[in-house]
Amino acid sequence: MKKISTVGARQTRNFRDQKLTIGLDLGDRTSWYCVLDEAGEVVLEQRLSTTPKAMKEVLGRMPRSRIALETGMHSPWVSRVLSELGHEVIVAHARNVRLIGESRRKDDRFDARTLARLARIDPQLLAPVQHRSAQAQAHLMVVRARAGLVRARTSLINTARGLTKSYGERLRGCNPRNLNAEKARELSPELQAALQPLLAAIESLSERIYEYNQRIEKIATESYPQVARLKQVKGVGTLIALTYLLTLEDAQRFRKSRDAGCYVGLQPGRRNSGQSEPQLHISKEGDPYLRTLLVQGAHHILGPFGADSDLRRWGVKLAERGGKNGKKRAVIATARKLAVLLHRLWVSGEVYEPLRNSRPVLQSAAA
């Protein structure tokens, strides 16, 4: 059987004095890489294992090169390993590279070649993204692990309530933190026997979530003093503030605070052509979990327990304009303004004043 993993005649070429461009298509077990020389000719195509050891052995022997790879599960640690080897690493936004995502000729080898050619011509064609540091990723994993437990608990609670309703009974109480085996005492003996292990599992998940809450508070206190600045906004707790900081990580990556609202995907899409300017849905780009938390914060700000502030008044006024989806649009718009406000508080270090009354929303701490 013919082996197609290399361009054999050029495999042993000396790369020392050449300016190379490499496209790396990452897979779960193995990855393809394509090496282009200064003239854009393919000098090597080969497969390697998607492990730190293989990356260091194979790409560590290459001279300092420009390496392009797509965002994905393995891209954070791979980009860090390649940067430590001295390479210029470009992480392409997978959704924005249409030559790969919408290509009819779809295979790993061809994708690696396409990445290399785009990186050689103009890296901006790849819509490069910036991965967070190893420490930020480790702390963010604690937040994501908690979110996984919350989703599991919600699924189990919905299962328990659905089963009781199908039997003509109900579980009393809507607070998931207090949903435990004690709630089953009001049910019939048959349901108690069926739901007792399920409710015990829900109670155990609530305990684990509480432990994660304590860990998140500790991380925020010890490593991220900026969380206190963001928590000045009523409706923003430690979870939202810490997730915001860890997801963006570098406040200086945005030229304007308004760009933070676009980064989390809360701005309306645009498709203007000629005289046509249709109203589109929000882009939903960026991190979906952070976007969900910001929307939850906006619901609290506009809800019955939200503190009086300029942001709340603006959102309520927007919702009062009416229309079928007036409240929904107001929540999304408030979440977008919240993302902008949090970035402004982060970079300025100023004290937040919820009611400006013709004064600036932000007042210097020295004033």
Side-chain angles (χ1 to χ4, degrees):
M1 183 176 180
K2 185 178 179 181
K3 185 178 180 180
I4 61 171
S5 61
T6 62
V7 179
R10 299 173 180 174
Q11 191 174 12
T12 59
R13 180 176 295 187
N14 190 342
F15 297 136
R16 285 186 180 179
D17 299 326
Q18 298 189 54
K19 186 177 180 180
L20 305 177
T21 306
I22 303 174
L24 179 61
D25 186 77
L26 297 175
D28 188 45
R29 300 294 182 122
T30 61
S31 304
W32 270 95
Y33 70 95
C34 173
V35 183
L36 303 180
D37 61 14
E38 297 181 25
E41 296 292 331
V42 177
V43 295
L44 178 60
E45 287 180 312
Q46 194 168 350
R47 193 191 302 269
L48 77 162
S49 298
T50 310
T51 61
K53 181 180 178 181
M55 294 287 174
K56 293 176 181 179
E57 288 180 353
V58 176
L59 299 177
R61 294 195 298 263
M62 299 281 185
R64 187 181 186 278
S65 309
R66 174 180 290 173
I67 302 181
L69 58 145
E70 282 188 300
T71 53
M73 181 181 297
H74 297 283
S75 61
W77 69 263
V78 171
S79 62
R80 288 195 292 268
V81 168
L82 297 179
S83 297
E84 291 171 0
L85 294 175
H87 297 294
E88 177 192 355
V89 182
I90 301 172
V91 183
H93 195 306
R95 291 180 59 183
N96 291 349
V97 186
R98 296 195 173 186
L99 282 175
I100 296 177
E102 300 179 5
S103 175
R104 294 186 178 182
R105 184 182 176 185
K106 187 70 177 171
D107 63 72
D108 297 342
R109 186 178 185 181
F110 185 76
D111 291 349
R113 188 180 297 185
T114 303
L115 281 170
R117 295 200 180 282
L118 290 174
R120 178 178 173 271
I121 296 171
D122 184 0
Q124 293 304 315
L125 294 174
L126 298 171
V129 301
Q130 177 183 340
H131 276 310
R132 60 186 60 87
S133 65
Q135 181 187 24
Q137 185 179 2
H139 289 160
L140 190 59
M141 282 195 296
V142 176
V143 176
R144 297 292 175 82
R146 177 194 177 276
L149 290 182
V150 171
R151 287 193 299 269
R153 183 179 66 177
T154 301
S155 178
L156 292 180
I157 289 174
N158 291 338
T159 299
R161 287 176 173 162
L163 290 174
T164 55
K165 289 180 182 179
S166 67
Y167 205 71
E169 302 182 36
R170 287 180 181 272
L171 274 173
R172 301 300 177 183
C174 299
N175 191 340
R177 301 179 184 87
N178 298 327
L179 191 60
N180 49 41
E182 297 294 329
K183 300 292 183 179
R185 291 185 176 182
E186 301 176 359
L187 303 176
S188 61
E190 297 85 358
L191 275 179
Q192 290 185 34
L195 297 183
Q196 185 175 7
L198 183 61
L199 295 177
I202 294 173
E203 185 176 6
S204 177
L205 285 177
S206 296
E207 293 173 358
R208 303 290 84 75
I209 292 171
Y210 177 78
E211 293 174 1
Y212 269 117
N213 290 340
Q214 300 303 310
R215 291 182 61 184
I216 289 172
E217 289 286 350
K218 183 178 180 181
I219 290 172
T221 303
E222 295 179 353
S223 303
Y224 300 95
Q226 305 93 329
V227 167
R229 300 181 195 170
L230 276 55
K231 288 174 64 176
Q232 295 178 92
V233 183
K234 299 301 181 182
V236 176
T238 302
L239 180 62
I240 297 178
L242 183 61
T243 305
Y244 186 89
L245 291 174
L246 292 175
T247 304
L248 274 62
E249 189 179 17
D250 183 11
Q252 304 303 323
R253 64 191 302 182
F254 301 117
R255 186 173 58 88
K256 299 182 297 183
S257 295
R258 185 173 294 181
D259 295 337
C262 301
Y263 175 77
V264 296
L266 289 169
Q267 88 287 1
R270 295 182 60 186
R271 191 173 294 170
N272 299 346
S273 178
Q275 302 299 319
S276 176
E277 295 184 8
Q279 184 177 4
L280 302 179
H281 297 288
I282 59 174
S283 66
K284 293 188 178 181
E285 295 180 348
D287 187 88
Y289 183 62
L290 175 59
R291 186 165 57 250
T292 299
L293 292 181
L294 290 172
V295 171
Q296 291 177 3
H299 272 291
H300 178 84
I301 291 172
L302 298 180
F305 303 105
D308 190 20
S309 65
D310 287 336
L311 183 59
R312 174 183 168 84
R313 292 181 180 182
W314 179 86
V316 170
K317 185 177 180 180
L318 184 62
E320 289 174 349
R321 293 181 182 178
K324 182 178 180 181
N325 297 316
K327 179 64 181 298
K328 292 181 180 179
R329 288 196 298 268
V331 169
I332 297 299
T334 302
R336 182 173 62 251
K337 278 190 172 290
L338 180 60
V340 176
L341 175 61
L342 293 180
H343 184 269
R344 176 61 179 164
L345 291 171
W346 184 7
V347 298
S348 67
E350 297 174 342
V351 176
Y352 172 62
E353 189 174 326
L355 289 172
R356 57 187 178 185
N357 295 327
S358 75
R359 291 173 295 175
V361 177
L362 297 171
Q363 183 179 8
S364 173

